[in-house]
Amino acid sequence: MLTSPDGIHWGNFHKAFKGGDSFPGLLHLKTRNKYFATTKDQHSNHLIRRTIIAYESSDFENWNNGTILLNGSMNDTPDMDYYTSPLWEWPGTNENAFVMITSVMHRTEDSVEPVIAFSRDLNTWNIPNHNMPLISKELGGGFTNYVSPGFVHENNQFIHYFTDFGNEGHNGGGFGDNAGVRRIIFREDGYTSLYAEWHGQVTTIPLNVGKGLILNAGFSHLRDYSYIRVGIADDEGTMYEGFTFDDCKVEQIDDIHYKVSWAKPMSELPQHQNHRFKFDMYRAHLYSYTCLDCEEYENEDGACPYRVA
């Protein structure tokens, strides 16, 4: 640990607790008069996986032995580790709502993807959608996406930065062509959109896409230079013939709703399986989308897959 009276001059170096090498988190809980720190850990707790450990201190000098916050469960793949642990208090909640963005590492394919976790008490953490990444390795720019400590809170939104190593992987030994610093933006009021300040793309999880698509969207006042294009792809992300970005047509219904069509009708998509939407955007907001006329069906295991209507 190091401390500083002004953020420029640092001293009082001392070893506080055993920890890892990747972006720990630190909070000062005023109502509890405690410091709360998180870090990646492994060997000191005799764990096979990398996991997230929390430590507490009342004086910033003496810390407890630590407790496990996040560790791989029986539902996780054997090669999965939790890697980073930046966290913060949700402003205005009087220390009863907390957010952590942790990077999940998959050892086999040597990739790292950020996921989001929430807690009311700093002890029990919930990860929605079971480790579904905020930024996947395909869309984040590379195989290794490390989230950074801290965040910026302004204009009713949180801005969080992360770094990626391009396509070289965690142990690639160098930076790939797409390496860089990127950011995630959350609206504080929960009313959110996918926004492409410049050019951007996003791919959904596999969905029952139905037989029609309506967008709730907004465009720049420079309408001729602002657009959303939609493609439909298979599970690997390859767009079907007749359903590419170039085949897409977006027609305005009213001030916020737009109907999407393609060169081919959606009835010609492969039947009885899920598909992915791919969105290609420039200076546009995508608030939500609605799949029309979805029909339930059974997959090879005799179960009805997740249905979106």
Side-chain angles (χ1 to χ4, degrees):
M1 288 284 187
L2 292 168
T3 58
S4 171
D6 55 12
I8 299 175
H9 305 91
W10 293 82
N12 190 28
F13 174 80
H14 65 283
K15 185 175 181 179
F17 47 77
K18 293 182 179 180
D21 58 354
S22 296
F23 302 131
L26 178 65
L27 291 177
H28 180 219
L29 305 173
K30 296 180 181 179
T31 61
R32 309 181 197 186
N33 193 30
K34 284 186 177 181
Y35 295 94
F36 186 87
T38 58
T39 183
K40 181 186 77 174
D41 205 347
Q42 182 177 3
H43 302 294
S44 63
N45 289 277
H46 308 290
L47 298 171
I48 298 174
R49 305 170 186 239
R50 297 177 179 92
T51 188
I52 303 301
I53 306 293
Y55 298 88
E56 294 185 9
S57 172
S58 58
D59 57 9
F60 210 69
E61 294 280 345
N62 302 290
W63 296 79
N64 67 1
N65 292 327
T67 57
I68 298 175
L69 291 189
L70 293 175
N71 187 30
S73 72
M74 294 297 292
N75 296 320
D76 296 318
T77 57
D79 70 338
M80 193 208 78
D81 293 337
Y82 289 108
Y83 217 83
T84 62
S85 59
L87 78 162
W88 64 87
E89 176 194 356
W90 201 277
T93 58
N94 196 28
E95 296 183 5
N96 63 8
F98 303 89
V99 181
M100 180 191 301
I101 299 182
T102 178
S103 293
V104 171
M105 179 183 179
H106 304 281
R107 299 188 194 184
T108 302
E109 63 181 14
D110 191 26
S111 67
V112 183
E113 298 175 307
V115 302
I116 192 167
F118 300 94
S119 177
R120 287 289 187 179
D121 58 8
L122 287 173
N123 294 314
T124 302
W125 290 83
N126 176 52
I127 299 178
N129 298 319
H130 190 66
N131 288 332
M132 186 176 75
L134 281 172
I135 305 294
S136 70
K137 58 181 179 293
E138 292 87 359
L139 300 176
F143 265 45
T144 304
N145 298 316
Y146 284 119
V147 285
S148 62
F151 72 99
V152 177
H153 180 224
E154 64 178 14
N155 298 326
N156 297 317
Q157 64 185 14
F158 300 101
I159 303 174
H160 192 74
Y161 291 88
F162 68 97
T163 60
D164 69 71
F165 284 77
N167 52 15
E168 294 297 321
H170 171 264
N171 296 313
F175 294 95
D177 295 337
N178 297 323
V181 177
R182 303 172 187 272
R183 67 180 179 177
I184 311 169
I185 299 177
F186 304 93
R187 285 181 61 98
E188 187 175 3
D189 56 13
Y191 186 64
T192 188
S193 69
L194 288 176
Y195 176 57
E197 185 174 3
W198 296 104
H199 180 262
Q201 292 186 3
V202 64
T203 303
T204 70
I205 61 174
L207 301 170
N208 183 344
V209 299
K211 298 178 181 179
L213 179 65
I214 302 294
L215 306 182
N216 181 345
F219 296 90
S220 166
H221 65 283
L222 301 173
R223 185 64 180 88
D224 292 340
Y225 302 97
S226 176
Y227 63 80
I228 296 177
R229 302 187 301 170
V230 188
I232 304 180
D234 60 19
D235 192 50
E236 300 299 322
T238 302
M239 289 184 283
Y240 299 109
E241 182 181 353
F243 296 94
T244 67
F245 294 141
D246 292 335
D247 297 316
C248 172
K249 182 179 181 180
V250 178
E251 298 179 278
Q252 186 170 1
I253 299 175
D254 54 33
D255 289 343
I256 61 173
H257 294 106
Y258 298 82
K259 180 180 179 181
V260 183
S261 60
W262 291 269
K264 293 183 178 181
M266 294 180 71
S267 59
E268 294 191 16
L269 287 168
Q271 299 299 302
H272 305 300
Q273 67 183 64
N274 289 347
H275 311 286
R276 297 177 184 265
F277 287 124
K278 297 176 72 75
F279 294 94
D280 180 54
M281 304 165 57
Y282 180 73
R283 292 200 171 190
H285 290 268
L286 177 62
Y287 296 96
S288 65
Y289 57 88
T290 302
C291 302
L292 304 176
D293 301 324
C294 293
E295 296 180 356
E296 294 187 7
Y297 60 89
E298 292 186 353
N299 60 19
E300 294 178 354
D301 298 325
C304 179
Y306 181 70
R307 177 171 177 254
V308 176

